[in-house]
Amino acid sequence: LRDYPSVTQGEVPQGVDLAQIDANQRDLLERQATHSKDTDALMNVVGELRGLVTAMPSKLLPEAVASIHQQSLDVARDLLKQHKPGQALALLEKQRPILWPNATGPLKATFLCRLASAKHALGLDSEAWELFIEARQYNPDDEKVMSSVAVGHLLLGQRKEAATAARLVLARNPLNFQAQAILVQSCDEPLERIIDALPAECRTNAEVAAAIGFVARQNGDLTAAKEWFRTALSADSDASPDIKGMLGELIVNGHTGNPTSSVRIGQLNDTTRSEIEGALSLLKEACDSIEDDNALRPRVTWLLNAAVAARILDRPAEAEEYLTRARRVAPDDLAVIYQ
């Protein structure tokens, strides 16, 4: 941008190489990724990017403007994949004033879905629902947007609406795994019948298997829940902390809630010890993969169950470390207070 001083005045001098401008844009976006751990540095880079866009909104080719915005959304997507929703949210909120006036409908829909995903990861489900629903008006026929709308309904417990929205997606694409996972969680039919109706490819998909495990847990079938979450974990190329955290909790709860478990009778055998150690490892990995305390707050039970596992293994110092972190992350949570 410094190489083109007249650009800051809203003029495009003849002979300007738009390819070079695009290269400058890409450099800024790469610096966004580089500074993703430093929120202040990230916001400074975003400010430069905004300056580049606002300098000549009517002069740049529409495709070039769209490219700038899309690359910013890609950075936010990557931050979400890295389990940094707080940074993704800060980036998106700073981008919105400049993106919104000139964005196309599909771009607005994508932006809103990214913003909703960041808020959902931070436990702000009602705000996420509103954004998912708002996205529909900007790109109502897009499969990803339709699936996101189903997610929004599910977040607020609107199971009937979620199932209807998921079925609309599946009518187009039966192998939309997100929609299948939503239908599993929102359908009123018995779980066995739901599983039987799934395409074979879905039963070994991480997202769908985790959804089945979640419903099995709700139904009180911890054994089935653990098996489905193990299926999800083995199929999960992204190493989702939510799958690890849920499976770790299920293993711990399966022992602490079972009157006949060697944990309850105070005689820890080798098999049980190995299972608890595995659970603690899963919970540790899940907690450590989320650096943002705001994102860990809705998942504070991972820390509490890790503390329980450490106590079972007679590691009091380690248990206290998890409890200390839980108190920092969610000091007002009743489950934390009563530990």
Side-chain angles (χ1 to χ4, degrees), residues 167-179:
R167 287 191 177 101
L168 287 174
V169 176
L170 295 172
R172 293 185 175 191
N173 177 13
L175 293 182
N176 184 304
F177 297 126
Q178 184 180 51

Side-chain angles (χ1 to χ4, degrees), residues 91-110:
L91 167 62
L92 291 166
E93 288 182 335
K94 191 161 186 176
Q95 286 288 93
R96 184 168 188 166
I98 185 58
L99 176 147
W100 206 255
N102 301 307
T104 63
L107 192 63
K108 287 181 178 180
T110 300

Side-chain angles (χ1 to χ4, degrees), residues 4-126:
Y4 304 100
S6 59
V7 167
T8 61
Q9 302 170 9
E11 300 175 0
V12 182
Q14 290 187 352
V16 166
D17 185 353
L18 288 179
Q20 182 59 48
I21 293 179
D22 181 67
N24 290 350
Q25 298 163 13
R26 292 179 183 278
D27 174 65
L28 289 172
L29 288 158
E30 288 174 1
R31 286 162 55 200
Q32 282 187 346
T34 300
H35 294 304
S36 63
K37 291 185 178 181
D38 184 338
T39 301
D40 291 336
L42 177 62
M43 291 301 103
N44 289 336
V45 173
V46 173
E48 291 185 52
L49 183 63
R50 290 177 64 191
L52 179 61
V53 179
T54 54
M56 46 180 182
S58 63
K59 303 294 184 180
L60 270 176
L61 294 173
E63 293 83 359
V65 174
S67 174
I68 295 172
H69 294 322
Q70 184 58 57
Q71 290 175 61
S72 297
L73 292 179
D74 290 345
V75 172
R77 177 202 61 203
D78 292 343
L79 287 170
L80 288 171
K81 287 184 176 180
Q82 296 164 18
H83 317 299
K84 300 174 182 176
Q87 293 182 37
L89 181 61
L91 167 62
L92 291 166
E93 288 182 335
K94 191 161 186 176
Q95 286 288 93
R96 184 168 188 166
I98 185 58
L99 176 147
W100 206 255
N102 301 307
T104 63
L107 192 63
K108 287 181 178 180
T110 300
F111 175 88
L112 290 169
C113 288
R114 291 273 195 280
L115 191 60
S117 295
K119 287 182 177 288
H120 171 47
L122 292 168
L124 304 173
D125 287 350
S126 60

